[in-house]
Structure formats: structure tokens, C-alpha cells
Amino acid sequence: MTYCLDKLSPVDPSSSKLLLFFEKYVPSITRAFILKWCITQTLSVIEQLDAGIRYLDLRIAHRPDVFSNLYFVHGLYTTQTVEETLRDINDWLQQNPQEVLILGCDNLQSLSSEHHMHLINCIHGIFGSKLCPKHEEPTLRNMWNRNYQAIVCYDNDLSWSYDYLWPSIPYWWANTTKTRSLIHFLEMKKHIGRPDGFFVAGLNLTENTPYILKHPFGSMKKMTLPKLPFLCKWVQRQHPGKSRDATNIIAEDLIGTNDFVSAVIKLNMKLLDRTDGDLNNGLHTNRT
């Protein structure tokens, strides 16, 4: 949701003390600086869905200067509210009845119990029967048969109390500016073995203070775009499935600027090819 960050909003209170200090005395300069490094997507949420994205990392927070509505946050708060966005997503699902989305509400910030109940009721009220319960096997065929279109993962213990809220999804985050370090981290995680359920391999490069000081005229876009082809090659080498070194969800910043989406979709062909191979082997054995 960082395509609609509000440069007039307060700075995220969980930001570094240094950033909060500058926000206090030079707010306009500080917010312009934050925008450069916190915009990780430039396509709107509907444009992302149209481009083929099927997993959304939604960082939801209570904006301190607004009492009633909830917003998304990444350094700054968004102009668009959570409810507006969820309604947009639901409208898109209605227009695309065979599509399935995973919504990761995995960064819930500064939410009181009242905020949680408001958000949970909002999710249920908007998506209703489209929500896949966590006791269901989330295969496409099963979800299509039951008209389920949304798997909502909720990073709070309240998720255990609601059948339509799945637990939080593990996110493999390398926290580095270097592509080779990022790939090494992901390969190490793969070597350890995948979790039993959903998990995300994050191809997200992350700036730190030393990097920003060395690149005063830089931005997330300038840091990330030149490195996307290298990251895309890693995607092309992956494979889906149940094996311990298989990938599941793959996330990336600034999608729409390279072949990332098509590369992820093409991974499924490896699964189909393997299934066809197993079938052919079985037929050959039967003939002999």
C-alpha cells in the first residue's frame, strides 16, 4: 500500500529516535526523505492484482491523529483507509470469481482491543462467504468448489477465536541491501527446510542508516531496480511443491518493472511437468 503514503501524515512512532527527532524540528524535509525510502510499490492495489499479484502484505495501524479509521503504515501512513482498500479488493474478487488471494495482516501496529474487533468485523462484513476457513484444505479445486476466494492471515492471538482468520505466515526477511547476502539467506533457510504451511520468501532489499548516509540522493527505487534482474534469475531457479527446499509465496518490491510475476507463475509449470512425468511412468509400468 506504499503507493499512497501521505506526506502530510505523522511519522510512524516506531521509527528510529533519530528520525523522530528530525520529524519534530524539520517535518517537511523529514517526510520527503521518508517517502524516498518507504515507497516499495508504485502500482495501486488493483493494478497489482491485475498484474498477477495474489499475496498482499498489509501493514495495518491506528493513525494517532485519526480516531475512528485504520490505515496502512510504512514510515508514514496511507491516504487510503483499510476499509476502503478491503472493499476495493472485494470488488475485484467479485469481478474475478475464480481468483484466490492471500491477505497477510502480519504487522498490526498500535491496535487496541476495540481496533482489533473493528478490523475483524470489517474483514468478515466485507468478504463474508468468500473467506476460506482455516480447517479447509486450501487447494484451488477445493476453494473453487466452495466459492472461497480469500485467505486472511491475522498476526494476533485473536485469530484462534475465528475460523475465518488464519495464523500469521512466517516471512523470510534477510534485512540487507546486498543481493548476494539476500540470496545466501534464502538458500540457508531452504537448506534448513520449509515450514509445514504457508511461508513467504522475501526478495526485499532493506536500507539501513549507513547505506542511506552513503547514498544521500538515493531512494528505494534507485537501490532496488538495478538488482531486480539478478533476483528474478533466482526466482526462475526455484520450484514449488512439498519438498523441504521448495518455495511457496515469493514477495518482491516494485513489481511491474520486470518479469517477476511471470517468472513466479511459470514455476507452476515445473509442478505440472513433474506430475505428467509421474503419470507417464505409471502408465509405462502398467503396460509392462
Side-chain angles (χ1 to χ4, degrees), residues 23-226:
E23 155 68 7
K24 183 176 181 180
Y25 294 102
V26 282
S28 58
I29 296 175
T30 304
R31 292 171 189 174
F33 181 80
I34 291 173
L35 276 175
K36 292 199 308 176
W37 289 102
C38 288
I39 295 179
T40 58
Q41 301 293 351
T42 56
L43 300 182
S44 73
V45 68
I46 298 303
E47 289 172 333
Q48 291 176 47
L49 297 177
D50 285 340
I53 294 299
R54 295 296 177 265
Y55 163 78
L56 298 175
D57 177 17
L58 302 176
R59 305 184 179 196
I60 298 172
H62 169 236
R63 182 169 164 166
D65 60 334
V66 179
F67 176 74
S68 55
N69 293 320
L70 295 177
Y71 292 81
F72 304 96
V73 66
H74 194 235
L76 297 169
Y77 297 87
T78 55
T79 56
Q80 195 164 341
T81 67
V82 171
E83 185 170 352
E84 289 169 339
T85 300
L86 295 182
R87 292 193 183 281
D88 287 344
I89 293 171
N90 185 61
D91 290 343
W92 187 89
L93 287 173
Q94 289 181 329
Q95 296 167 20
N96 299 273
Q98 282 203 305
E99 297 298 335
V100 172
L101 305 182
I102 299 176
L103 307 180
C105 303
D106 293 323
N107 289 273
L108 302 173
Q109 192 172 304
S110 304
L111 299 191
S112 65
S113 56
E114 290 80 8
H115 291 134
H116 278 292
M117 292 311 304
H118 170 74
L119 178 55
I120 290 171
N121 289 333
C122 190
I123 290 169
H124 187 262
I126 291 173
F127 294 111
S129 61
K130 294 185 183 70
L131 293 168
C132 178
K134 55 177 170 264
H135 65 262
E136 292 282 357
E137 184 180 9
T139 63
L140 286 175
R141 180 176 287 111
N142 192 37
M143 294 185 72
W144 286 336
N145 288 340
R146 291 164 171 75
N147 297 317
Y148 297 140
Q149 287 187 268
I151 293 174
V152 177
C153 303
Y154 200 86
D155 187 17
N156 187 275
D157 289 341
L158 285 169
S159 66
W160 299 107
S161 303
Y162 298 89
D163 197 32
Y164 55 85
L165 295 180
W166 292 58
S168 178
I169 299 178
Y171 198 113
W172 292 354
W173 177 50
N175 191 19
T176 180
T177 61
K178 299 178 180 179
T179 50
R180 295 191 183 278
S181 297
L182 188 154
I183 297 305
H184 174 75
F185 171 82
L186 294 180
E187 290 297 327
M188 180 184 66
K189 298 291 284 187
K190 285 171 55 183
H191 179 73
I192 295 171
R194 56 163 293 164
D196 292 333
F198 294 120
F199 69 99
V200 181
L203 292 177
N204 318 101
L205 295 169
T206 307
E207 81 288 352
N208 51 32
T209 301
Y211 185 90
I212 292 174
L213 293 176
K214 291 179 182 178
H215 302 81
F217 301 104
S219 66
M220 176 62 71
K221 192 172 183 179
K222 290 180 179 179
M223 179 181 74
T224 301
L225 286 186

Side-chain angles (χ1 to χ4, degrees), residues 241-259:
K242 297 180 180 180
S243 62
R244 60 177 290 156
D245 65 339
T247 49
N248 186 226
I249 300 169
I250 304 177
E252 184 180 273
D253 293 332
L254 298 169
I255 64 100
T257 54
N258 67 351
D259 297 326

